[in-house]
Amino acid sequence: MAASPVPKLPVPKLTVAALARGGALPVAILVLVLLMVVPIPAAMLDIFFIMNITISLAVLMVALNAQKPLDFSAFPSVLLFATLFRLSLNVASTRVVLVHGHEGEGAAGHVIEAFGTFLIGGDYVVGLFVFAILVIINLIVVTKGAGRVSEVSARFTLDALPGKQIAIDADLNAGLLTAEEAKARRIEVSTEADFYGSMDGSSKFVKGDAVAGLLILAANIIGGLILGPVSHGLSLADAAHTYVLLAIGDALVAQVPSLMLSIAAATIVTRVTSTHDLAGQIGSQFGSAKTWTPVAAILALLGIMPGMPHFIILPAAALAGYMAWRMRQFALRPVIEEKPVEAPADPAQINWEDVADTIQVNLDIGYGLVPLVDEKRGAPLMGRITGVRRQLSKEMGFVVPQVRVRDDINLAPYAYRIVVGGVVMGEDLVQPDEMLALDTGQAIGTLNGRPTKDPTFGLSATWISPADQDAATGAGYLVVDPGTVVATHLNHMLSQNASDLLGPDEVQALLDGLKDRAANLVAALCPTPVPLTTLTQVLRGLLAEGIPLKEFRRIAAAIAVAAQKTLDAEEIIEAIRPELGALIIQKLCGVREPLRVMTLEGQLEGLLGQAVRSDPSRRHTIEPDLGRRIVEALQRAAQPLIDEAKPFALVVQPAIRLAIRKLVRSCLPDTPVMSFFEVPEDKSVEVIAVIGAPGAIPA
């Protein structure tokens, strides 16, 4: 039997660039060690000094251009290696100064010579004071302040770490973050804590570097004063002039990059997260005419006072005034939004975005209604839509989906259309520059305008000029703006179609919210014995009949009990409705008011009960002609109550409730159909109409 071939594992390819990047850091550390141990010539020392200054400048520029501290998360390690590099150069330069210092000012290289002669004029006394001032600035001002900020930032960041983790978990559970986004947020929070902790320790490197500079300067001066007279026969004055000048040049060469790194460290730890770099952030906050106008005024007052240097202060005042004027002109300039130029789409390519629409509720408007959503005019419609969603969410017990408003060139200029789940639920016309005066039954007289009908309730209305608003209100009309008209219509359509807004994701959110208060109840409900899909059907059925989900705990408890007998959604709804009767009637009457009801005559109920029992499928339970006559009789009996805006309920036997509900749903959608068992025993009832037997119903 032949042996199976051994599969070859892929060998990673090591490119020259990868090897160079991987070996650069170990080589750099080896160079640091060699600088401390092996003597190097003065020319190479000059190269390393220039490299040190270059690295310090590069670190400072990266710190200034970072938009947030984590943009330079490698700074603590960079600061460590830069400090070690500078200290290694101090050791190497000290060896060169002490060994070859008697040869003259250029013995330690041209860089040390330049710092010792040109920058301080060759006077070592001046150099000592300059170096002392730089050390004071670096050690006491910049380093100490940056260290304190690092310490406080590290402490507060670590204290806030558990709260940030909890907030990320809460956003993940609420669906505001995906699993990948939550993972990235956790990594960012952990990295931020590690960064500030490292910065707290790195500030000690900068402080130690400044102290080391002082000690190395002292060692160079003392060693030079000893070696000059003893080993090279120099006088004490010549030795002091030569060695002290070289020591100060060496100290300044190291202290200037150290100061730049200290500034970079202070910049990073004091940085506040912003969308701009440091220059942009400072410029945006100082770029206001309100800032420079008082500055110009105060400088001008100082400039005209006797004894002041007028030729210096007055030009400064003029410059500040010019800056204030330019900034005011810039603020008044209209903002032109530049839209990115998109590459032309390939006509042969079709993406899923072209055929999929993830927004569940849409409000399409004609171009004439765009001013209602224009932010420059306050976007009155958008604010009302937000209010509608907030109010409906409180009433229904779940978060109503976002409403997308978009303009549609296929609509008439002043038309709008309400689309829920891809189905047009309502549409009408509004006048954006006029007001709608509604006749609620108490109005007196007529108004000048265009007669119309209210799109929500069908009331008689008139479009009037805004100038006639006060007169219409005084005549008893209810006057509303066009944004309110559209928002009210949207509110009515969403209320009537609330069941279409509830899906498995919203139901799962309801379960997650209930789990914090009743974990055992949720465990006994879903997914066993009631699957999420069945639970969604039950809750949508309740919403379709006007039962809100605010008391979800009570509803869930009733469903858990009913699920022990059946898992059919319609049967569960019928089984739990008696437990929810109080929730249904509280919208129909007050606590002390009687419940107004309409009922069916006993003979008619018996006939309908037989029809329901003879049709197990529950699809065609009522003969069409009989159903038509029942509906007409119900409409005639209900019309007086509808005209007086008095709510009522239709109460029937439990066996026929579902069939009657399906029958009257189209003609009386807002009328609840209840069974006798759903009316609480202690609730008083007022029977306002009895729909008679078939023989008594007119054909």
Side-chain angles (χ1 to χ4, degrees):
M1 185 174 180
S4 59
V6 178
K8 295 183 179 180
L9 297 177
V11 179
K13 296 181 179 180
L14 298 178
T15 62
V16 176
L19 288 173
R21 288 195 300 268
L25 189 58
V27 171
I29 295 176
L30 181 61
V31 170
L32 295 182
V33 177
L34 292 177
L35 286 176
M36 295 183 183
V37 179
V38 179
I40 60 174
M44 186 173 293
L45 192 62
D46 287 342
I47 296 175
F48 282 127
F49 276 134
I50 298 302
M51 185 184 301
N52 183 29
I53 296 174
T54 303
I55 293 174
S56 301
L57 285 172
V59 171
L60 179 60
M61 292 302 105
V62 174
L64 293 178
N65 291 322
Q67 296 182 356
K68 56 183 179 179
L70 289 184
D71 288 347
F72 199 3
S73 58
F75 182 75
S77 299
V78 172
L79 182 61
L80 169 63
F81 292 121
T83 303
L84 290 177
F85 181 44
R86 189 166 55 256
L87 292 176
S88 300
L89 288 179
N90 283 138
V91 174
S93 62
T94 297
R95 183 185 296 111
V96 173
V97 168
L98 295 180
V99 174
H100 301 286
H102 64 283
E103 299 176 3
E105 297 175 354
H110 296 293
V111 175
I112 293 179
E113 180 185 9
F115 274 80
T117 57
F118 176 73
L119 293 184
I120 60 176
D123 190 340
Y124 61 86
V125 177
V126 176
L128 285 175
F129 284 105
V130 171
F131 177 75
I133 292 173
L134 288 178
V135 170
I136 291 173
I137 294 173
N138 189 7
L139 183 61
I140 298 180
V141 180
V142 181
T143 303
K144 186 175 181 180
R148 179 57 179 166
V149 173
S150 299
E151 179 183 351
V152 174
S153 299
R155 183 179 64 189
F156 281 101
T157 301
L158 291 175
D159 291 343
L161 184 60
K164 292 181 178 179
Q165 296 285 4
I166 293 174
I168 294 173
D169 293 338
D171 290 345
L172 178 61
N173 294 333
L176 302 178
L177 294 177
T178 63
E180 292 76 11
E181 292 172 340
K183 183 178 180 180
R185 288 274 299 274
R186 291 192 186 97
I187 294 175
E188 182 179 357
V189 169
S190 178
T191 305
E192 184 181 12
D194 295 340
F195 173 78
Y196 282 110
S198 301
M199 285 301 301
D200 186 21
S202 299
S203 61
K204 305 300 187 295
F205 295 144
V206 181
K207 181 179 180 180
D209 182 28
V211 175
L214 286 173
L215 298 178
I216 293 173
L217 174 64
N220 284 336
I221 293 176
I222 295 173
L225 292 178
I226 294 175
L227 291 174
V230 174
S231 301
H232 304 292
L234 299 177
S235 64
L236 186 62
D238 292 339
H241 182 272
T242 301
Y243 283 97
V244 173
L245 199 62
L246 290 176
I248 293 174
D250 179 30
L252 288 176
V253 169
Q255 198 59 220
V256 170
S258 176
L259 181 60
M260 286 189 289
L261 285 181
S262 299
I263 295 173
T267 302
I268 286 293
V269 297
T270 58
R271 190 79 168 89
V272 177
T273 301
S274 173
T275 55
H276 305 283
D277 56 15
L278 184 59
Q281 186 179 10
I282 294 176
S284 63
Q285 295 176 4
F286 276 86
S288 172
K290 296 180 180 179
T291 301
W292 293 102
T293 301
V295 172
I298 294 174
L299 287 177
L301 290 176
L302 290 176
I304 62 176
M305 293 178 64
M308 289 291 178
H310 311 296
F311 297 104
I312 299 177
I313 298 181
L314 290 179
L319 179 61
Y322 174 75
M323 291 177 62
W325 177 77
R326 288 291 299 172
M327 291 173 184
R328 185 177 292 107
Q329 295 298 318
F330 182 79
L332 295 177
R333 189 177 62 183
V335 179
I336 301 176
E337 297 183 0
E338 296 183 0
K339 296 183 178 179
V341 179
E342 298 181 356
D346 185 2
Q349 184 179 5
I350 301 177
N351 300 320
W352 281 106
E353 291 79 5
D354 299 330
V355 297
D357 190 356
T358 59
I359 302 300
Q360 196 169 2
V361 183
N362 290 285
L363 176 62
D364 300 336
I365 59 176
Y367 68 85
L369 301 182
V370 171
L372 296 179
V373 296
D374 188 0
E375 294 184 357
K376 296 180 180 179
R377 301 190 181 186
L381 181 57
M382 302 306 296
R384 287 174 174 81
I385 291 176
T386 302
V388 166
R389 290 185 60 231
R390 183 180 293 110
Q391 183 63 28
L392 280 178
S393 299
K394 291 180 180 179
E395 293 178 356
M396 298 299 174
F398 66 94
V399 178
V400 174
Q402 183 180 1
V403 179
R404 179 176 63 184
V405 181
R406 57 187 180 183
D407 59 323
D408 190 345
I409 60 175
N410 295 320
L411 289 177
Y414 300 138
Y416 67 90
R417 178 188 298 133
I418 300 171
V419 182
V420 179
V423 179
V424 178
M425 296 297 180
E427 56 185 358
D428 214 299
L429 298 171
V430 293
Q431 302 297 325
D433 299 325
E434 297 181 353
M435 308 290 285
L436 185 65
L438 301 172
D439 184 0
T440 58
Q442 302 177 352
I444 302 174
T446 58
L447 299 175
N448 294 326
R450 288 188 296 275
T452 185
K453 290 289 185 180
D454 170 45
T456 305
F457 304 106
L459 300 176
S460 298
T462 305
W463 285 107
I464 62 174
S465 171
D468 300 332
Q469 178 179 355
D470 294 338
T473 303
Y477 287 88
L478 175 63
V479 182
V480 294
D481 60 272
T484 302
V485 174
V486 178
T488 303
H489 196 187
L490 175 66
N491 177 70
H492 187 67
M493 289 295 100
L494 295 182
S495 299
Q496 286 191 333
N497 299 277
S499 60
D500 295 332
L501 306 178
L502 187 74
D505 294 333
E506 289 77 14
V507 175
Q508 186 61 54
L510 287 172
L511 291 172
D512 294 339
L514 182 61
K515 187 182 298 183
D516 298 334
R517 297 175 285 120
N520 293 332
L521 174 58
V522 175
L525 176 64
C526 185
T528 302
V530 183
L532 183 62
T533 53
T534 302
L535 182 60
T536 303
Q537 290 179 343
V538 172
L539 298 180
R540 292 185 64 177
L542 295 177
L543 288 173
E545 297 204 36
I547 302 177
L549 307 181
K550 290 190 298 183
E551 299 296 330
F552 182 62
R553 179 171 183 171
R554 182 174 180 177
I555 296 173
I559 295 175
V561 174
Q564 303 300 322
K565 300 179 181 179
T566 179
L567 290 179
D568 182 80
E570 288 188 347
E571 293 180 359
I572 291 178
I573 293 174
E574 295 304 309
I576 67 175
R577 282 184 62 91
E579 299 293 332
L580 309 178
L583 297 178
I584 301 174
I585 67 174
Q586 69 180 358
K587 298 194 303 180
L588 304 176
C589 61
V591 177
R592 300 181 183 276
E593 294 181 89
L595 175 63
R596 289 178 288 271
V597 301
M598 295 171 54
T599 63
L600 300 181
E601 197 270 336
Q603 184 180 355
L604 177 59
E605 282 191 326
L607 180 63
L608 295 177
Q610 292 178 0
V612 170
R613 287 190 293 271
S614 64
D615 185 10
S617 66
R618 296 177 292 186
R619 294 184 178 179
H620 307 288
T621 57
I622 301 177
E623 193 270 331
D625 184 63
L626 177 59
R628 177 184 58 80
R629 288 185 288 163
I630 293 175
V631 168
E632 292 176 353
L634 286 172
Q635 288 179 319
R636 284 194 299 271
Q639 194 59 47
L641 296 174
I642 295 176
D643 294 339
E644 297 178 7
K646 292 182 179 180
F648 62 95
L650 177 60
V651 180
V652 298
Q653 291 182 0
I656 64 173
R657 193 208 71 83
L658 186 59
I660 294 298
R661 171 59 187 167
K662 294 179 179 179
L663 178 65
V664 304
R665 180 169 49 191
S666 59
C667 62
L668 298 172
D670 297 329
T671 300
V673 179
M674 306 174 62
S675 71
F676 294 118
F677 294 152
E678 297 171 23
V679 181
E681 295 180 358
D682 58 347
K683 186 63 179 178
S684 59
V685 175
E686 178 186 354
V687 180
I688 56 177
V690 177
I691 307 303
I697 300 178

